[in-house]
């Protein structure tokens, strides 16, 4: 047990030293285009339309080729809700938009990301892969706002310049999961059982970020 503790201390100390020697601190300004997604409910379906996503993040390099980042992004969009073509229950023809003229909404992402950069920091072009998790604050036209679990994966390239500025070109996939009610099942021993029903969005996007390195 003492050996395990000693190994952990050595590992943590070496990581801290690495972070101190390569601890670049960056401000990232984001802009991107996020594509639409369809979300199916029991009696209806909605679309989260495509739109421009923007935000900012603070990124810290814990090692020469790895960083952690806290960021905020916002997608202003439209969220039309339609009757289900197969099982309409709203007294209107199937496929009718239920919130016409009142479908504006937004998704606010607050995420903690981990990014791994290939090649060392002396290279001008560095490919990277990353992933993050956090929350999405959903602003809907009629139901107010709610906070839900969210995650993303991303990949791209960082293009460095001789100045503190660099540019990231990347693709990303973002997802948000929300509870929307209950489904009921019949159990042989217990009778009707309610199970929480979840829906998720999956939106692909293409974007870029302008980074400023405060350590230069």
């Amino acid at each position: 047990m003492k050996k395990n503790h000693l190994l952990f201390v050595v590992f943590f100390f070496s990581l801290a030293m690495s972070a101190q020697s390569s601890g670049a601190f960056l401000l990232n300004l984001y802009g991107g285009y996020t594509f639409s997604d369809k979300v199916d409910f029991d009696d209806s379906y909605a679309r989260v339309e495509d739109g421009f996503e923007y935000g900012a993040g603070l990124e810290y390099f814990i090692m020469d080729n790895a960083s952690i980042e806290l960021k905020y992004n916002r997608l202003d969009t439209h969220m039309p809700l339609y009757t289900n073509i197969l099982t309409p229950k709203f007294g209107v023809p199937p496929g009718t938009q239920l919130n016409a003229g009142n479908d504006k909404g937004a998704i606010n992402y607050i995420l903690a990301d981990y990014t791994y950069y290939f090649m060392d920091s002396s290279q001008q072009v560095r490919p990277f892969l990353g992933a993050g998790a956090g929350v999405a604050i959903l602003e809907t036209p009629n139901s107010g706002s709610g906070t839900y679990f969210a995650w993303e994966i991303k990949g791209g390239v960082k293009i460095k310049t001789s100045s503190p500025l660099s540019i990231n070109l990347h693709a990303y996939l973002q997802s948000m999961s929300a509870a929307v009610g209950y489904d009921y099942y019949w159990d042989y021993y217990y009778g009707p059982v309610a199970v929480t029903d979840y829906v998720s969005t999956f939106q692909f996007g293409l974007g870029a970020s302008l980074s400023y390195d405060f350590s230069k």
Side-chain angles (χ1 to χ4, degrees), residues 2 13 21 23 32 95 97 103 106 113 128 135 142 145 182:
K2 290 184 178 180
F13 181 76
S21 62
Q97 183 178 346
D103 60 4
D113 278 10
F128 65 85
V135 297
N142 296 313
S145 63
Y182 296 93

Side-chain angles (χ1 to χ4, degrees), residues 107-180:
I107 305 176
N108 302 274
Y109 291 101
I110 303 174
L111 301 171
D113 278 10
Y114 173 85
T115 305
Y116 182 84
Y117 292 87
F118 301 90
M119 303 182 184
D120 60 60
S121 58
S122 63
Q123 302 297 317
Q124 186 175 8
V125 178
R126 304 182 71 189
F128 65 85
L129 292 173
V135 297
I137 302 173
L138 175 65
E139 301 175 13
T140 59
N142 296 313
S143 303
S145 63
T147 303
Y148 307 101
F149 173 74
W151 58 264
E152 76 166 5
I153 55 176
K154 61 184 180 180
V157 293
K158 173 183 282 292
I159 304 172
K160 299 175 63 178
T161 68
S162 57
S163 72
L165 296 177
S166 61
I167 298 173
N168 286 11
L169 304 176
H170 57 273
Y172 54 91
L173 176 66
Q174 294 173 329
S175 177
M176 173 188 62
S177 298
V180 294

Side-chain angles (χ1 to χ4, degrees), residues 188-210:
Y188 181 79
Y189 295 100
Y190 302 103
V193 177
V195 179
T196 304
D197 190 15
Y198 289 89
V199 296
S200 297
T201 61
F202 297 94
Q203 290 186 271
F204 175 77
L206 296 172
S209 65
L210 181 65

